[in-house]
Amino acid sequence: MRTKNTPVIEKKITNLYKEFFNVVGVNHKTGELQSNKKLKFATYPYIGSEYGKRTKVLFIGLDIGKDEKRGAILGFMEKREVVEGLDSNRKKMNPHIAGTYVSTIYFFKKNWGMIRNTRSYKGGIMKFREKCEDNLLSYISFTNLHKFVTKDRRYRSGGKDREYIWQERELKLLMDEIKIFKPNILLFQSKKFGESKYVEIIKKLRKQYKDMKIYIAPHPSYRGVRAPQKYRNEWKAI
């Protein structure tokens, strides 16, 4: 069941994306880019069913990497069912979602001391769930900067879809998304967001949102030690 905030956000994001689709030439149903048939707009953002009920946390990645729904754009409900369902099916939870989950435990300050020194993300989540019944994935949202993906791409690794097509328009789209989500906390899930290529995003956010807490972290599936405190130590507050 969604909070009253969720459908409002969905409607605003849908209208925002439709406007973008019309300007740049994206098929509203298939996501196919008219000017480059090899690319498609892959997905709507993930919006947890309880987003806005607590501290609003938004995660931003560089790109989706994988074409999650062939011949169509992955919708809000489909994405929510998959992501929130991983809480009760942790065997299928990949390092990205698991690292996002433990990050949320830290932000909500719920039992972080209990899980911080566990040896893995999933170990920390299991320990957390022994004490708390909340599915924390339902309280967060996430999106990506680069929206286009190579059609039928099956594997997330590699950065071939991390290029702008229309830089100014794509940056504006992300900034407009952030304005709709109104997060209290924003975490960029790639250290590349600290590079000069993306510095303009950070500058605009710091100028526009004085009270928002902003962090840059490695992607949770990075090659370091995938343990809660080890991962937290890699974050940079900006």
Side-chain angles (χ1 to χ4, degrees):
M1 184 174 178
R2 300 176 301 172
T3 64
K4 63 180 181 180
N5 293 319
T6 305
V8 173
I9 295 172
E10 287 180 5
K11 184 177 181 179
K12 288 181 178 180
I13 292 291
T14 298
N15 290 337
L16 177 67
Y17 279 21
K18 280 183 177 179
E19 183 179 350
F20 180 79
F21 293 168
N22 291 336
V23 170
V24 304
V26 170
N27 186 297
H28 289 237
K29 291 184 178 180
T30 67
E32 186 177 82
L33 182 61
Q34 293 175 11
S35 61
N36 185 344
K37 301 295 186 180
K38 294 181 180 180
L39 297 176
K40 63 173 284 196
F41 196 100
T43 181
Y44 284 87
Y46 169 72
I47 306 173
S49 59
E50 303 285 348
Y51 183 77
K53 203 170 182 178
R54 294 184 178 178
T55 299
K56 290 182 284 188
V57 183
L58 177 65
F59 295 88
I60 298 178
L62 274 175
D63 68 297
I64 188 172
K66 180 180 177 181
D67 186 359
E68 294 188 336
K69 187 173 183 180
R70 293 185 179 184
I73 303 172
L74 190 67
F76 297 114
M77 187 176 296
E78 295 168 288
K79 195 156 191 168
R80 187 157 47 242
E81 287 176 353
V82 171
V83 174
E84 291 190 6
L86 292 172
D87 178 73
S88 57
N89 192 3
R90 287 185 286 276
K91 288 184 178 180
K92 290 188 176 181
M93 189 181 287
N94 61 32
H96 173 218
I97 299 299
T100 299
Y101 202 118
V102 299
S103 300
T104 306
I105 295 173
Y106 175 81
F107 288 136
F108 287 172
K109 307 201 182 307
K110 291 198 70 172
N111 299 312
W112 177 254
M114 181 180 71
I115 71 112
R116 62 185 296 175
N117 292 320
T118 50
R119 295 183 179 182
S120 68
Y121 298 151
K122 288 187 181 180
I125 295 167
M126 290 176 68
K127 204 164 188 178
F128 171 80
R129 293 299 266 117
E130 289 173 0
K131 298 290 185 180
C132 183
E133 295 182 357
D134 279 349
N135 178 357
L136 295 193
L137 294 173
S138 68
Y139 294 96
I140 64 170
S141 291
F142 56 76
T143 191
N144 296 284
L145 167 59
H146 298 296
K147 309 295 189 186
F148 293 96
V149 66
T150 302
K151 284 166 63 176
D152 299 329
R153 181 176 170 184
R154 297 286 86 198
Y155 303 101
R156 297 186 188 279
S157 59
K160 67 178 181 178
D161 291 319
R162 296 175 188 169
E163 295 297 328
Y164 293 115
I165 302 172
W166 303 278
Q167 181 169 337
E168 186 176 340
R169 288 172 178 163
E170 291 173 65
L171 287 176
K172 184 179 185 306
L173 181 64
L174 179 67
M175 295 299 291
D176 287 344
E177 273 188 282
I178 294 170
K179 187 176 181 180
I180 291 170
F181 280 110
K182 297 179 181 177
N184 307 111
I185 299 171
L186 191 155
L187 186 141
F188 289 101
Q189 292 182 317
S190 174
K191 280 192 171 183
K192 290 185 179 295
F193 279 106
E195 297 176 0
S196 58
K197 183 177 181 179
Y198 303 108
V199 70
E200 196 62 31
I201 299 173
I202 308 302
K203 284 183 178 179
K204 286 182 178 179
L205 287 173
R206 279 276 58 112
K207 183 178 180 180
Q208 191 169 344
Y209 301 101
K210 303 294 185 183
D211 297 326
M212 183 192 297
K213 293 182 179 179
I214 304 175
Y215 300 87
I216 295 177
H219 192 277
S221 61
Y222 77 138
R223 294 182 180 178
V225 178
R226 295 174 186 171
Q229 189 60 49
K230 292 284 187 182
Y231 180 58
R232 173 63 185 88
N233 291 343
E234 294 292 323
W235 300 4
K236 178 183 177 182
I238 56 174

